[in-house]
Amino acid sequence: MSDVQPLRVFPVLLPMWAVEIRTVVLDAQPYEVFDQYVSRAVAGAGLREPARLAAFFGVEVGLIERAVRYLESVGHLRGDGAGVVLTELGRRSVADGCRYVLKEDRQVVYLDGFTCAPLPKSHYAGTEWCDEPSLRLADRTSFHPVTASPAFRVGAIQELADRPDRERFNLPGALTEVEPLEVRQAWLPAYIVECVSGLLVFIKAVDGPDRHLGTIVTPYLTEVLAAEPRVDDVEVWRNWLEAKGFPDARIRRMPNRVLRAGLPAAAFGQAMRWAQLGSFEVRQQTFMQLWCADAAARQHAVLVRAAAIAGAGGVRRRAEVEQRLADLAGQLEVTVPGWDDLYRYAEKMDDRALLDRLDVLAPG
């Protein structure tokens, strides 16, 4: 991100509201042919008694009675003492040529804990929620909960249901009724990056900065994070490198203010993993990129990281792996390796599992 000058990073748990709701939606289904004819006869021919409907269709009354009972059970017909009439649901079904059925369901929707606004549908898939305000990753990264004072607004769910764009926020477009059942606190893991020009928010479900959450949390967190004690980031990383056995490693600040440590190629694959080359280490809210001046070493790191992505099974198409190769090559400032380069790497490493995986990835 060429226009960004990052300063510090904060792993946080953003407060959210998880609301279980009961929904009733209008589900469009194909008509059974005879049910549709019966409904149309009631709507257009004024035939309301089973006997008259049976005479009109030339069938036994029992067949009409069964069809009427079914159409009553799905809310399309109702009796009024003088026969049957179409309900509003039945009239709409006849007009649109499909059988509308009201279906009840339950689901959970999420609203942010700052403004009680709904989260977009894009924030649901791939998001890992926390039920407790604590999270510690395997790499010992600790996420700290952010405190928000606003209480849950009871009318927020109905406001969401009334929105014409509610499908963008994970509510069905064909919604006819909604009722909140239970509200509980939830926590969303996020990284807040403090930059010279403001805050950026990153979560797992969104590729790149989350502009939706960024707009919401910036007014609440800018002053809070600015009050956090600052450390000498160069000193922090010089001490870290010395403890790792690289006291002579050169640390320089890039034009975008990011620190970069130059290490020899021999450091990777031994003291440092290849996957760390070009990646960022985080310590005391500061971060530093591990680097190597040897372009061949950086090219090898691209292949190592791309192989891990391809072998993990999360991608299904060759084009996805090729895109990751291009992204990694840009990050490590080397020529983009081709598919054949990755295949030769797998052969050189005698990685049969990876070779098999590359063989089955669909083209395109």
Side-chain angles (χ1 to χ4, degrees):
M1 302 178 64
S2 57
D3 58 339
V4 171
Q5 292 183 303
L7 301 172
R8 295 183 294 175
V9 59
F10 299 87
V12 300
L13 294 173
L14 297 177
M16 298 287 156
W17 297 112
V19 187
E20 184 181 4
I21 59 174
R22 182 185 68 87
T23 61
V24 179
V25 298
L26 201 60
D27 186 35
Q29 302 174 352
Y31 254 125
E32 295 292 341
V33 174
F34 190 62
D35 293 339
Q36 184 175 20
Y37 279 128
V38 171
S39 298
R40 290 178 61 189
V42 174
L47 302 174
R48 302 177 55 194
E49 300 85 6
R52 293 186 63 196
L53 285 164
F56 179 77
F57 287 112
V59 298
E60 294 183 0
V61 175
L63 181 59
I64 295 294
E65 290 175 338
R66 285 196 296 272
V68 167
R69 283 196 297 270
Y70 173 75
L71 290 169
E72 286 178 330
S73 73
V74 296
H76 285 210
L77 293 177
R78 61 177 174 83
D80 66 352
V84 293
V85 293
L86 283 171
T87 63
E88 176 58 34
L89 186 62
R91 285 193 293 271
R92 184 171 176 180
S93 296
V94 170
D96 293 349
C98 62
R99 181 180 64 193
Y100 287 119
V101 178
L102 294 176
K103 292 182 62 177
E104 184 174 315
D105 198 5
R106 292 191 179 196
Q107 69 176 87
V108 174
V109 293
Y110 291 95
L111 300 91
D112 75 79
F114 299 94
T115 66
C116 215
L119 289 189
K121 190 174 183 178
S122 57
H123 288 54
Y124 283 70
T127 297
E128 295 181 1
W129 298 91
C130 295
D131 294 327
E132 300 292 334
S134 62
L135 176 64
R136 189 177 178 89
L137 302 184
D139 65 1
R140 295 188 293 181
T141 299
S142 292
F143 287 72
H144 299 284
V146 173
T147 302
S149 56
F152 177 74
R153 288 190 300 105
V154 177
I157 295 300
Q158 190 58 53
E159 292 172 10
L160 171 57
D162 292 340
R163 294 182 62 143
D165 63 343
R166 58 180 172 264
E167 285 185 280
R168 281 207 314 121
F169 299 93
N170 212 39
L171 268 192
L175 186 74
T176 64
E177 185 181 335
V178 64
E179 176 189 8
L181 301 175
E182 182 185 3
V183 180
R184 60 179 174 83
Q185 184 88 70
W187 304 89
L188 176 61
Y191 290 94
I192 308 290
V193 179
E194 181 188 38
C195 305
V196 171
S197 59
L199 302 182
L200 295 177
V201 181
F202 295 86
I203 67 171
K204 188 173 182 180
V206 178
D207 187 17
D210 185 333
R211 303 192 185 282
H212 176 84
L213 286 177
T215 300
I216 290 172
V217 307
T218 294
Y220 292 87
L221 298 185
T222 299
E223 292 185 7
V224 173
L225 298 183
E228 285 285 314
R230 297 179 181 274
V231 298
D232 184 334
D233 54 353
V234 174
E235 182 180 358
V236 166
W237 289 108
R238 184 176 290 117
N239 292 338
W240 183 84
L241 287 166
E242 185 173 352
K244 292 290 184 180
F246 300 101
D248 299 325
R250 180 192 174 199
I251 301 176
R252 67 188 184 100
R253 196 176 297 277
M254 307 295 289
N256 65 350
R257 299 182 58 88
V258 173
L259 293 180
R260 175 180 282 182
L263 298 175
F268 297 96
Q270 298 183 38
M272 304 287 182
R273 292 175 289 109
W274 279 107
Q276 290 179 274
L277 204 172
S279 67
F280 294 83
E281 298 292 325
V282 178
R283 191 173 181 83
Q284 297 182 40
Q285 301 168 351
T286 69
F287 46 89
M288 180 181 69
Q289 187 181 33
L290 300 181
W291 198 251
C292 179
D294 188 336
R298 301 199 306 273
Q299 187 97 7
H300 182 76
V302 169
L303 294 172
V304 171
R305 293 169 66 176
I309 292 168
V315 295
R316 293 182 174 84
R317 294 191 170 275
R318 173 172 166 173
E320 295 177 71
V321 178
E322 290 175 328
Q323 182 60 55
R324 293 299 292 140
L325 282 167
D327 293 342
L328 290 166
Q331 181 181 334
L332 272 72
E333 301 175 12
V334 294
T335 304
V336 180
W339 182 263
D340 292 341
D341 294 317
L342 183 58
Y343 203 90
R344 282 193 292 270
Y345 166 80
E347 289 180 324
K348 180 180 178 181
M349 302 304 294
D350 195 25
D351 190 335
R352 299 309 309 173
L354 177 58
L355 287 168
D356 292 342
R357 179 68 182 152
L358 295 178
D359 284 337
V360 300
L361 283 174

